[in-house]
């Protein structure tokens, strides 16, 4: 299947670039998109998210008509979110929609491709930085063609950790996010950062700029592509409680090495959002 998957990956890169162009034009357009909300008043979506997802799906369908899709906006519109063994394109048309709405310059198109529930390639295009991150399973990770390597830092005190606040603002959730953050800042680490895009945070781990990133509440489309970019750059993925990373669990911890990851696990107050593949309530 080598050539077929390579063909698919080449197509993903081309369509991500095209999608990125649409995102850039929309971001600079003075006639701003209407902003709509989804699961909460801070979970945003625009017509550009929807338009870009359709553009990607249509273009892939023409070339690979038998493949399956999990797309953020298609799921929001009622499509099922189930990962099967079949070749599946996992798409976030705009990762960092809040950034997009505010013209904060970290916005990515994320396309992962899985077969037998294993990610075979990942493409994350940070469209305002014009950085194309790519990885194929077993073949390394790259940014604009240059190989990526995670940081060699083993001392948590000298680490930068990427974090996000997500879009769940229920008091109990916010308390857990802040208590974890307080413990991590107090280790102390060199600093905490957050790009406002899970995919870009993961690519920063892969690039060695930050040692780790964790979040509870992300979705499969936020991290499918970038999870492979991290592991192909020599990093590791695990659950925030230390078990194996599960794509559909809505929890991720990506780190440059096991010891940094395990140290963070000790400080994270975890919780369990509804899984991406949970059966829908009737
Ligand atoms: C969001 C971003 C954000 C993260 C949220 C994601 P979206 O994705 O990745 O950084 O904190 O959990 O849902 O909505 O911009 O595609
Ligand atoms: Ca999105």
């Amino acid at each position: 299947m080598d050539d077929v998957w390579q063909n698919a990956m080449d197509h993903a890169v081309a369509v991500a670039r095209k999608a990125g162009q649409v995102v850039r034009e929309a971001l600079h357009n003075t006639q701003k998109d209407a902003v709509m909300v989804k699961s909460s008043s801070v979970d945003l979506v625009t017509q550009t998210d929807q338009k870009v997802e359709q553009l990607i799906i249509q273009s892939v369908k023409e070339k690979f008509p038998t493949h399956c899709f999990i797309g953020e906006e298609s799921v929001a519109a009622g499509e099922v979110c189930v990962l099967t063994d079949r070749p599946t394109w996992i798409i976030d048309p705009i990762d960092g929609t809040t950034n997009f709405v505010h013209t904060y310059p970290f916005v990515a198109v994320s396309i992962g491709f899985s077969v037998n529930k294993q990610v075979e390639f990942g493409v994350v295009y940070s469209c305002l930085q014009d950085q194309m991150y790519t990885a194929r399973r077993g073949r390394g990770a790259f940014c604009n063609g240059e190989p990526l390597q995670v940081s060699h830092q083993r001392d948590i005190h000298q680490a930068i950790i990427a974090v996000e606040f997500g879009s769940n603002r229920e008091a109990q959730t916010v308390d857990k996010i802040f208590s974890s953050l307080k413990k991590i800042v107090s280790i102390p680490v060199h600093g905490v950062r957050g790009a406002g895009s899970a995919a870009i945070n993961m690519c920063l781990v892969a690039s060695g700029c930050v040692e780790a990133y964790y979040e509870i509440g992300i979705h499969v489309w936020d991290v499918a592509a970038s999870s492979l970019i991290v592991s192909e750059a020599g990093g590791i993925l695990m659950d925030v409680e230390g078990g194996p990373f599960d794509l559909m669990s809505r929890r991720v911890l990506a780190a440059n090495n096991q010891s940094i990851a395990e140290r963070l696990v000790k400080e994270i107050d975890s919780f369990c959002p509804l899984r991406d593949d949970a059966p829908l309530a009737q």
Side-chain angles (χ1 to χ4, degrees), residues 28 82 126 148 221 231 279:
H28 293 125
V82 176
S126 178
L148 295 175
W221 45 80
S231 55

Side-chain angles (χ1 to χ4, degrees), residues 49 72-73 92 94-95 97:
D49 295 70
E72 176 171 10
E73 307 316 335
D92 190 341
I94 300 183
D95 187 48
T97 301

Side-chain angles (χ1 to χ4, degrees), residues 19-239:
Q21 174 71 23
V22 175
V23 173
R24 273 195 301 270
E25 282 166 12
L27 190 127
H28 293 125
N29 192 341
T30 46
Q31 222 98 56
K32 287 286 172 213
D33 268 2
V35 179
M36 299 159 277
V37 298
K38 295 192 287 188
S39 63
S40 79
S41 64
V42 295
D43 182 9
L44 311 181
V45 61
T46 69
Q47 277 170 356
T48 304
D49 295 70
Q50 295 162 341
K51 176 172 147 189
V52 168
E53 182 159 318
Q54 282 315 307
L55 177 155
I56 297 170
I57 292 177
Q58 283 318 321
S59 152
V60 173
K61 269 188 180 163
E62 277 167 27
K63 265 201 114 161
F64 305 98
T66 60
H67 289 186
C68 304
F69 296 90
I70 295 177
E72 176 171 10
E73 307 316 335
S74 309
V75 171
E79 295 275 328
V80 289
C81 182
V82 176
L83 188 61
T84 67
D85 288 342
R86 296 176 59 194
T88 302
W89 295 67
I90 305 170
I91 300 163
D92 190 341
I94 300 183
D95 187 48
T97 301
T98 306
N99 289 351
F100 171 77
V101 167
H102 291 266
T103 66
Y104 190 76
F106 301 101
V107 172
V109 176
S110 176
I111 304 177
F113 178 75
S114 87
V115 182
N116 296 324
K117 302 190 182 73
Q118 189 168 41
V119 180
E120 287 291 334
F121 67 74
V123 171
V124 172
Y125 182 44
S126 178
C127 18
L128 298 167
Q129 300 171 299
D130 191 22
Q131 289 180 327
M132 183 68 77
Y133 294 90
T134 57
R136 241 196 104 178
R137 195 159 62 84
R139 306 205 180 170
F142 300 85
C143 178
N144 290 348
E146 294 295 317
L148 295 175
Q149 170 67 53
V150 293
S151 152
H152 295 299
Q153 186 55 253
R154 301 195 68 80
D155 181 358
I156 189 90
H157 300 98
Q158 302 200 37
I160 289 187
I161 312 301
V163 297
E164 293 289 337
F165 298 104
S167 53
N168 181 339
R169 300 295 158 83
E170 284 164 20
Q172 271 188 334
T173 305
V174 173
D175 282 348
K176 289 205 169 197
I177 290 171
F178 275 92
S179 77
S180 308
L181 193 54
K182 184 176 177 193
K183 287 190 274 173
I184 289 167
V185 169
S186 311
I187 289 177
V189 295
H190 268 181
V192 293
R193 301 285 186 272
S197 153
I200 293 179
N201 287 329
M202 302 267 280
C203 289
L204 293 175
V205 174
S207 308
C209 316
V210 306
E211 274 64 33
Y213 158 67
Y214 72 90
E215 187 172 345
I216 302 173
I218 44 87
H219 292 275
V220 58
W221 45 80
D222 295 316
V223 294
S226 53
S227 61
L228 188 68
I229 294 171
V230 168
S231 55
E232 288 296 324
I236 59 145
L237 296 152
M238 61 169 70
D239 178 63

